[in-house]
Amino acid sequence: MANEYRTHNCGELRISNIGNEVKLAGFVQKIRNLGKMQFIDLRDENGITQIVINEELFDVCQNINNECTLTVTGEVVERSSKNDKIPTGEIEVLAKSITILGKCRNVLPFEINVPDQNVREDLRLEYRFLDLRNEKIHNNIKKRSKILKDFRTEMDALDFTEIQTPILANSSPEGARDFLVPSRLHPGEFYALPQAPQQFKQLLMVSGFEKYYQIAPCFRDEDPRADRSPGEFYQLDMEMAFSTQEDIFKVVEQVVPNVFSKNTDWNFDKGPFIRIPYKEAMEKYGTDKPDLRNPLVIQDVTDIFEGTEFNSFKGKTVKVIVTSNMEEKPRKFFDTMSNYAVEELEAKGLAWVKVDEQMNLTGGISKFIDEDRKNKLYEKLEIKANDAMFFVADELEKAQKIAGGVRNKLGQELDLLEKDIYRFCWIVDFPMYELSDEGTIDFNHNPFSMPQGGMDALMNKNPLDIYAYQFDLVCNGYEVASGAVRNHDQEIMIKAFEIAGYNEDDVKAKFGALYKAFSYGTPPHSGCAPGIDRLVMLLEQEDNIREVIAFPKNKKARDVMMNAPSKVFDKQLEEVHIKLDLE
């Protein structure tokens, strides 16, 4: 059926269209009044065309503002003053008729497609329907659509079956707070929005589906971050029966690079990706999501400072980062790094020294390092003239974390990161358990993972020494996927949860379907879930995940456009049997 509003898109007209009668539709980008002649730049998703308005249509144009929507009928002619900055710059359209389809207020909350505006983010989000007209973010959302299609194409080519799982599910202890949904039909009972389709995809394996995937919405009541959307996010959820960790790696190492190849002109790692054990990652990079574009590594010098009288190092784990070519860095640079460590990383301090041309230690804590320790540092760290050493001293885990933050900051400040490249790695061999803030044993990663060593490890090893078949995919310092070999044995499942403080009745109550299913011939299975939002954010080279989500929440987890969350009527609460007590 013909489109009554247009015959052509604004951005598709070229010199070959001269003489054609066309009908265009779009938004008014700009109006220019040159007295006897006026010009309108008409914009749609496809581009911009210049419209020439003669005096006969001036009365109509009096009611036109920027961002009104119009249809324009006219003849395509060659421009006398060409614009080589746009594809349609050789032509223009002589308007014969103009119809205003949608009026726009004279004053906009912010300008559309005007670069370098300093617009408050909450104002952008309140008027997101206008913000999405801006070319950059509009294209982000269109690119997101393409990336999702590319992921589906890759998964379909590997013979995965796309299956939708429920949104209204049960509450389960999976690491984050649940979003609860009260039941009208079952007073006092609640659904929970799924933190992930974890149990459902494992049940699909029990059901005989050997390769499952979906672009799955996930809901977690977590605090917002620049790389984490509060409340909801999407992941490429996948699971495979009769599979090992290696099988999952092969799928991801094919799918992700193939999608990247279609959506970036940057370089990127092809599979197989580097594998780094969790403990090694914490030692060398101070994080389980290292940015491998940064060449700096953390080294341990605790043994060199054993027995030191320097109070800041006495009895502490001491980590060091060595940087080169520091001869021109002033004292202010080192002071700024120290302030960053204290204020942003909650360090007690950041010690440092420089090495001059004569290989002498200068500045910082140089007077506290004797000749013997200096020589040991030089030998172990392969120190050269004009190097600098940055020291972090604390308890092991704190020292690792702070040193990791210092490494990232030094990489940025010294401009050491590789340019225009995506560096991938797998982080493997996560601990099965960790100590909670209260000192109790808790799951470190995913409670449904298979412990390395199976039941024997659970029965005979210190829980904190047990590794799990768990893994994360990391790209440029972001965790972009998480997965595991799943626990498919009922007895191992019961024991694993028992160590974390749950008895068998708890497991039946919280994970009843899995508990029951594991008695009916469950195949071994593994899965993974690349995060769609973060991958799109990386491909679009954005630092803020809200720039690749059509209607995101703000930094306080509010939707300021739709005014959510908001209060509801008392009758609505009565229907779901809820009474508020806000005191």
Side-chain angles (χ1 to χ4, degrees), residues 166-174 178-180 190-196 199-200 507-513:
I167 296 301
L168 293 177
N170 64 318
S171 177
S172 64
E174 294 184 34
D178 286 324
F179 283 100
L180 300 177
F190 295 80
Y191 302 101
L193 304 184
Q195 295 186 28
Q199 295 183 67
F200 292 109
V507 175
K508 289 180 181 179
K510 292 293 184 182
F511 313 108

Side-chain angles (χ1 to χ4, degrees), residues 498-511:
E498 178 186 304
I499 292 172
Y502 301 91
N503 60 37
E504 187 171 355
D505 288 339
D506 294 329
V507 175
K508 289 180 181 179
K510 292 293 184 182
F511 313 108

Side-chain angles (χ1 to χ4, degrees), residues 278 281-283 285-288 298-300 302 312 315-321 340-342 344-350 390-407 436-437:
Y278 171 82
M282 297 305 297
E283 276 292 294
Y285 308 111
T287 177
D288 59 3
I298 302 164
Q299 300 184 69
D300 189 277
T302 305
S312 296
K316 304 285 181 60
T317 295
V318 184
K319 302 294 182 182
V320 64
I321 301 169
Y340 173 80
V342 172
E344 300 296 326
L345 305 176
E346 299 181 358
K348 296 182 177 69
L350 179 65
F390 294 84
F391 297 93
V392 174
D394 212 312
E395 298 173 6
L396 174 61
E397 291 185 2
K398 288 184 180 178
Q400 289 175 332
K401 182 179 178 181
I402 294 166
V406 171
R407 172 184 176 269
S436 69
D437 294 338

Side-chain angles (χ1 to χ4, degrees), residues 89-122:
E90 293 184 292
I91 58 92
E92 57 193 7
V93 172
L94 297 179
K96 295 182 179 179
S97 67
I98 297 175
T99 303
I100 299 174
L101 302 175
K103 295 181 180 179
C104 181
R105 292 184 178 183
N106 190 37
V107 178
L108 296 166
F110 46 80
E111 296 298 320
I112 308 298
N113 283 322
V114 175
D116 302 321
Q117 290 186 87
N118 187 20
V119 181
R120 183 169 49 87
E121 186 181 56
D122 269 10

Side-chain angles (χ1 to χ4, degrees), residues 81-244:
S81 177
K82 294 181 172 57
N83 180 359
D84 60 5
K85 294 181 180 179
I86 58 175
T88 58
E90 293 184 292
I91 58 92
E92 57 193 7
V93 172
L94 297 179
K96 295 182 179 179
S97 67
I98 297 175
T99 303
I100 299 174
L101 302 175
K103 295 181 180 179
C104 181
R105 292 184 178 183
N106 190 37
V107 178
L108 296 166
F110 46 80
E111 296 298 320
I112 308 298
N113 283 322
V114 175
D116 302 321
Q117 290 186 87
N118 187 20
V119 181
R120 183 169 49 87
E121 186 181 56
D122 269 10
L123 184 63
R124 288 178 56 208
L125 296 183
E126 181 181 354
Y127 291 92
R128 189 63 162 186
F129 47 85
L130 292 180
D131 191 39
L132 286 168
R133 294 185 188 178
N134 281 302
E135 183 178 17
K136 185 173 185 295
I137 191 166
H138 192 92
N139 288 340
N140 280 356
I141 303 305
K142 293 188 71 175
K143 182 72 168 288
R144 180 188 175 109
S145 172
K146 180 182 180 304
I147 292 168
L148 263 66
K149 289 177 183 176
D150 290 340
F151 272 120
R152 283 193 167 96
T153 297
E154 293 296 325
M155 299 303 288
D156 292 342
L158 291 173
D159 202 28
F160 279 77
T161 302
E162 184 172 8
I163 304 174
Q164 286 71 47
T165 54
I167 296 301
L168 293 177
N170 64 318
S171 177
S172 64
E174 294 184 34
R177 296 182 185 89
D178 286 324
F179 283 100
L180 300 177
V181 180
S183 170
R184 175 181 61 84
L185 298 176
H186 304 281
E189 296 183 312
F190 295 80
Y191 302 101
L193 304 184
Q195 295 186 28
Q198 182 66 53
Q199 295 183 67
F200 292 109
K201 65 182 181 180
Q202 290 192 249
L203 291 168
L204 287 171
M205 299 299 101
V206 181
S207 304
F209 293 97
E210 294 194 6
K211 291 182 176 182
Y212 140 88
Y213 89 99
Q214 69 170 316
I215 306 293
C218 303
F219 306 90
R220 297 178 188 177
D221 188 2
E222 298 177 310
D223 293 336
R225 293 192 318 224
D227 68 332
R228 182 168 69 194
S229 177
E232 57 193 289
F233 61 92
Y234 286 82
Q235 62 188 33
L236 174 64
D237 205 48
M238 68 177 79
E239 200 79 10
M240 295 171 63
F242 306 106
S243 66
T244 65

